[in-house]
């Protein structure tokens, strides 16, 4: 498009541009100074209150690469500054910048790059027709409609061109001979654009947050409330874009009439003029903005002592101001939001959810295909360099196809221009694609970590280990996908609709804001700004409406969103050494009600008729399990739980054993009104009274006729109690049962708000049962229907755990915390008297560890529907 020397800028125009730039910086500076103090106060406040940024996910994330590391390198044809096509060696660094070297040899020798390209705000095009249309749209030629269609600015020597269109800067042109190489380069180039656009502005540093708020209020001062599509790149680039937006109209008025020659020549001169202007503005703003930052850094350092000493008073002042502003803002804001925003949120969300969910689903299928291929290609040999190299290439060639599902949002969101004046669909698209790419990278990295951890213990079982690692990574991908998509929807809905609320309320409220500065204590005016509090009120109001819509969408199966991704508090810190696994399912599974809600609802509904005891979290219910004898027995109420006399190994769990496990009955010792005598068989245990418990993943009592000990394993599933009406109708009074009892009962005390399911397998006559007193935390429990019909749905229901545990099956020996019951009453009572809270707390972790290993085994023995071939 021509060198800068061919521009129309003379000394007078250069002076004019510098004067306008200085004026813009002077007007922007007060906003930045105010927001710098506010951002610094918020930073110290979060530090004191220990707020954690970001949302926990299950997949592990790799540490970011060093900026000097290489992501891509190859030789391509490039249209250089001399307007000639030459072969250049292109290197893409980890900071997503492009370096153009003369050759691979010069790059290897360490010669500086001939040219460094920052594709911020760029658009990649592979069709000459589309590129020409974009260029014509950017060229404000008043005579363009009277002329013939323009000829290309650059003649491409090969069949596969790549055009990089950059705003306010010179475009770049590349050419390839092979489609595979071009596709790879286009994918890398699009990645660079996304990261260059958003990475810096997503930082939570004080200076970045202060700049974003300052540019936001600066644009509002000029009457711009909409989401800005040029809010991309570094703070210098953003401010330069703002100045260019102000300068271009005057340059067009003065310089366009002076353009002579044919249309291609006029284009070259005009774009060269725009580029020269951009370089002047950017260079001047870089120095001015850096001086402004240094000034604010010194000011905030001097105020740090005051902020820390008066933190509570500053917060109280801010709260008082917010209370006063609520009276002014709430009524008109609620009215406008109710009438003009809330009715459209559902339809906007529907437009967003289709393409976004399709993109994430395509990414999941791609991940599954790639991991399956790797499992087949590397059946043995450990985590070798070849395997690591294959993992690094997962999705590189096909991820662009997944992005195409999201690209349709650019057209679908165009209808929002009229109602909400929203035109920044590229931000939504790029943000979604970046999240898809990040999830893919996290999944591959987690898969590699799982292999490294598990193969240390089982180096000879790589095939099974890889398959189990793949299934676990896919489950964790489902959970993280749901979490990320909900965040995308929330941010997009706010980004689309909040500017409309601001614009509507501005005439009535903006002029009144300065009157509220009197409610701020004089010493704290630097840290509490009326405009910030006003914006927060509007944002909180809109967030309430948006969250309702997103939660409603999450409750529908078709949207593949988990109903609540915050009901598990242990997902933020995943550990590969933890013996728990999140029983998640495919994204097509129905959403699951939070465990605590489901448990409380079922307990109230099905136990309320049989119990008169107050249900408090501090009360520890007692579950009584009676071991049968050859003679008919009645339970004897033993008031104390027991500790084991010995430990028994857990028998090997086979498919036959799991499928043949039969649910038995249990009864809370204090809650049962009556119990009936039931003759016992020589080959079955009798577990008495009141509640019939069934579950898909439950407690298994495994024993044989030769082995006396019986092992009890409790899985973190749901309590589902049904009253045994026949037993109740014929049960004698409780006192009679206690007198007639021949064999003592054993009470298993479970410290939890609700009880987990217990299923007992058939045991032999006279079997002695032993192990420890167990406390189960109800946070590990999940809601589970009791019927066989509901059981299949529940297997597909998503649940989440914190960490990818080791890929082992059930251990050969009895793990610490496995449950057993002792048959010696004297030893039981004696052991219970010596029990302590520390031992109970230790058993909590032990039983939860064993629980999740049992779930892991069941995933292999009886896999979920989505994992079956």
């Amino acid at each position: 498009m021509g060198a800068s020397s061919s521009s129309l800028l003379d000394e007078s125009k250069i002076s004019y541009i510098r004067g306008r730039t200085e004026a813009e910086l002077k007007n922007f500076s007060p906003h930045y100074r105010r927001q710098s103090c506010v951002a610094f106060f918020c930073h110290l406040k979060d530090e004191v209150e220990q707020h954690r940024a970001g949302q926990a996910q299950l997949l592990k994330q790799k540490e970011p690469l060093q900026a000097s590391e290489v992501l891509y390198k190859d030789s391509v044809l490039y249209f250089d500054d001399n307007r000639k096509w030459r072969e250049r060696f292109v290197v893409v660094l980890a900071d997503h910048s492009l370096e153009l070297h003369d050759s691979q040899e010069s790059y290897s020798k360490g010669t500086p790059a001939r040219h460094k390209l920052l594709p911020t705000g760029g658009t990649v095009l592979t069709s000459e027709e589309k590129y020409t249309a974009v260029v014509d749209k950017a060229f404000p030629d008043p005579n363009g409609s009277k002329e013939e269609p323009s000829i290309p600015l650059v003649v491409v020597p090969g069949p596969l061109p790549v055009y990089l269109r950059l705003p306010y800067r010179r475009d770049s042109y590349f050419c390839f001979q092979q489609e595979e190489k071009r596709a790879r380069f286009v994918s890398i180039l699009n990645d660079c654009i996304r990261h260059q656009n958003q990475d810096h502005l997503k930082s939570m540093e004080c200076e970045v947050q202060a700049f974003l708020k300052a540019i936001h209020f600066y644009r509002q001062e000029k009457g711009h409330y909409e989401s800005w599509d040029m809010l991309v790149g570094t703070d210098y680039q953003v401010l330069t874009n703002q100045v260019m937006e102000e300068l271009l109209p005057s340059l067009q008025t003065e310089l366009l009439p002076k353009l002579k020659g044919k249309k291609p020549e006029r284009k070259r001169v005009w774009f060269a003029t725009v580029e020269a202007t951009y370089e002047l503005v950017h260079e001047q703003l870089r120095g001015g903005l850096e001086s402004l930052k240094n000034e604010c850094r010194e000011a905030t350092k001097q105020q740090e002592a005051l902020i820390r000493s008066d933190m509570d008073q500053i917060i109280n002042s801010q709260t008082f101001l917010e209370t006063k502003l609520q009276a002014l803002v709430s009524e008109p804001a609620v009215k406008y939001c109710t009438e003009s925003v809330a009715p459209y949120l559902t339809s906007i969300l529907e437009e967003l959810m289709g393409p976004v969910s399709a993109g994430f689903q395509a990414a999941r299928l791609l991940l599954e295909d790639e991991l399956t291929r790797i499992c087949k290609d590397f059946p043995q040999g450990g985590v070798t360099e070849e395997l690591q190299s294959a993992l690094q290439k997962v999705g590189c060639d096909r991820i662009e196809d997944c992005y195409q599902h999201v690209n349709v949002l650019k057209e679908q969101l165009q209808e929002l221009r009229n109602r909400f004046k929203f035109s920044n669909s590229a931000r939504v698209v790029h943000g979604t694609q970046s999240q898809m790419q990040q999830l893919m990278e996290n999944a591959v990295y987690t898969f590699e970590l799982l292999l490294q951890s598990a193969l240390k213990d089982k180096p000879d079982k790589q095939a099974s280990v890889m398959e189990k690692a793949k299934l676990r990574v896919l489950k964790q991908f489902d959970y993280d996908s749901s979490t990320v998509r909900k965040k995308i929807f929330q941010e997009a809905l706010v980004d689309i609709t909040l500017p409309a609320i601001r614009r509507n309320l501005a005439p009535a409220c903006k002029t009144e804001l300065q009157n509220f500065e009197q409610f701020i204590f004089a010493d704290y005016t630097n840290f509490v700004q009326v405009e910030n509090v006003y914006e927060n009120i509007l944002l909180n109001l809109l967030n309430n409406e948006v969250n309702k819509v997103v939660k409603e969408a999450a409750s529908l199966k078709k949207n593949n969103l988990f109903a609540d991704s915050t009901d598990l508090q242990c997902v933020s810190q995943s550990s590969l050494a933890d013996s728990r696994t999140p029983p998640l399912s495919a994204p097509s599974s129905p959403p699951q009600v939070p465990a605590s809600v489901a448990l409380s609802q079922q307990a109230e509904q099905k136990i309320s008729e049989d119990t008169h005891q107050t249900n408090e979290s501090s009360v520890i219910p007692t579950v009584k399990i009676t071991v049968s004898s050859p003679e008919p027995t009645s339970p004897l109420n033993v008031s104390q739980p027991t500790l084991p006399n010995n430990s028994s190994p857990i028998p090997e769990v086979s498919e036959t054993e799991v499928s043949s496990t039969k649910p038995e009955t249990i009864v809370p010792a204090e809650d049962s009104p009556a119990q009936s005598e039931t003759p016992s068989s020589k080959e079955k245990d009798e577990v008495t009274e009141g509640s019939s418990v069934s579950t898909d993943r439950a407690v298994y009592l495994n024993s044989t006729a030769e082995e006396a000990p019986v092992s009890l394993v409790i899985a973190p599933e749901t309590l589902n109690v049904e009253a045994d009406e026949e037993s109740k109708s014929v049960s004698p009074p409780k006192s009679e049962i206690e007198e007639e009892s021949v064999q003592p009962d054993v009470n298993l005390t479970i410290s939890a708000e609700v009880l987990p399911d217990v299923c007992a397998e058939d045991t032999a006559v006279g079997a002695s049962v032993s192990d420890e007193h167990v406390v189960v935390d109800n946070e590990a429990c999940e809601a589970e229907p009791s019927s066989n019909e509901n059981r299949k749905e529940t297997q597909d229901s998503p649940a989440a755990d914190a960490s990818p545990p080791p890929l082992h099956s059930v251990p050969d020996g009895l793990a610490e915390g496995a449950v057993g019951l002792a048959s010696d009453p004297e030893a039981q009572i004696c052991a219970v008297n010596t029990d302590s809270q520390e031992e109970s707390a230790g058993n909590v972790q032990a039983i939860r560890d064993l629980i999740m290993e049992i779930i892991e085994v069941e995933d292999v023995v009886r896999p979920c529907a989505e994992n079956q071939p």
Side-chain angles (χ1 to χ4, degrees), residues 82 113 211 269 381 497 575:
N82 297 325
F211 177 82
V269 174
T497 57
S575 172

Side-chain angles (χ1 to χ4, degrees), residues 243-284:
V243 176
M244 290 296 295
E245 191 177 82
E246 300 291 328
L247 273 175
L248 274 184
S250 59
L251 291 179
Q252 292 175 4
T253 302
E254 294 184 21
L255 301 180
L256 280 177
K258 298 180 181 180
L259 294 177
K260 306 296 181 182
K262 294 182 179 180
K263 187 173 183 179
E265 183 63 25
R266 296 201 305 271
K267 283 183 180 179
R268 291 189 183 95
V269 174
W270 170 249
F271 289 134
T273 303
V274 172
E275 181 186 5
T277 304
Y278 180 89
E279 292 175 354
L280 281 173
V281 173
H282 187 267
E283 187 66 25
Q284 184 173 353

Side-chain angles (χ1 to χ4, degrees), residues 523-538:
D523 294 340
Y524 308 143
T525 53
N526 290 330
F527 318 119
V528 181
Q529 295 292 324
V530 177
E531 55 190 359
N532 290 73
V533 177
Y534 169 77
E535 289 280 328
N536 288 338
I537 293 174
L538 298 184

